[in-house]
């Protein structure tokens, strides 16, 4: 089994902030990241993008970035179920990296259910990117600014992202 870091989310959309979580653990711990994508099958204002629409972009991230090992589809952030899904692909969860906004909840979950997993906080700074910020740029049709805040494999999805947001209006 290969030891990996995980980053969990719906990635609405995947941003350079998410990539920062992967890069930091790769540089500091030498662990590649498996993206655990929570399957979004029903959209709303906060989760406007279906996972199936973004799946090719997630797979392209694996090819584009050495720090990303794989992508796994999961139903939710249940660390036990995620561990099983990751293990089925030959990995064992060593660390779970997340932003400051998630550290308390994820640390509490791991202490209770998976004490062997080390939760690592990637400190959020004012300059860091939020999904809300990126969705606002998409809605405002600011493709150039969108591209500044997202990894290259997400760029080709801009039109689909925009159409999905417009469908919610």
């Amino acid at each position: 089994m290969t030891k990996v870091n995980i980053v969990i989310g719906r990635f609405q959309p995947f941003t350079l902030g998410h990539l920062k979580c992967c890069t930091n653990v790769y540089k500091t711990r030498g662990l590649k990241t498996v993206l655990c994508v929570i399957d979004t099958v029903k959209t709303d204002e906060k989760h406007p993008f279906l996972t199936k629409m973004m799946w090719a972009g997630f797979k392209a991230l694996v090819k584009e970035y050495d720090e990303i090992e794989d992508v796994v589809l999961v139903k939710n952030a249940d660390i036990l179920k995620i561990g099983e899904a990751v293990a089925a692909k030959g990995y064992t969860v060593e660390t779970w990296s997340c932003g400051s906004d998630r550290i308390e909840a994820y640390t509490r979950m791991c202490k209770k259910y998976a004490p062997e997993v080390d939760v690592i906080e990637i400190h959020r700074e004012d300059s860091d990117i939020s999904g809300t910020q990126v969705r606002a740029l998409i809605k405002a049709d600011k493709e150039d600014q969108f591209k500044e805040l997202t990894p290259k494999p997400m760029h080709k999805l801009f039109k689909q992202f925009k159409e999905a947001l417009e469908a919610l209006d």
Side-chain angles (χ1 to χ4, degrees), residues 6-11 35-41 47 51 72-86 96 102 106 109 113:
I6 57 171
V7 174
I8 300 169
R10 285 187 172 82
F11 307 115
L35 299 176
C36 298
V37 179
I38 298 172
D39 196 7
T40 302
V41 294
H47 309 103
T51 301
V72 174
L73 190 64
V74 298
K75 290 183 187 256
N76 55 42
D78 178 329
I79 189 63
L80 296 176
K81 298 285 186 194
I82 287 170
E84 291 170 6
V86 170
W96 182 351
R102 303 271 194 251
Y106 292 170
M109 189 185 311
Y113 300 108

Side-chain angles (χ1 to χ4, degrees), residues 53-97:
M53 177 185 82
M54 298 184 290
W55 195 251
F58 293 131
K59 295 301 266 183
L61 289 166
V62 174
K63 291 178 183 173
E64 181 86 17
Y65 297 97
D66 289 338
E67 56 266 54
I68 301 176
E69 176 72 18
D70 208 343
V71 58
V72 174
L73 190 64
V74 298
K75 290 183 187 256
N76 55 42
D78 178 329
I79 189 63
L80 296 176
K81 298 285 186 194
I82 287 170
E84 291 170 6
V86 170
K89 294 191 88 177
Y91 307 111
T92 184
V93 179
E94 179 83 6
T95 63
W96 182 351
S97 66

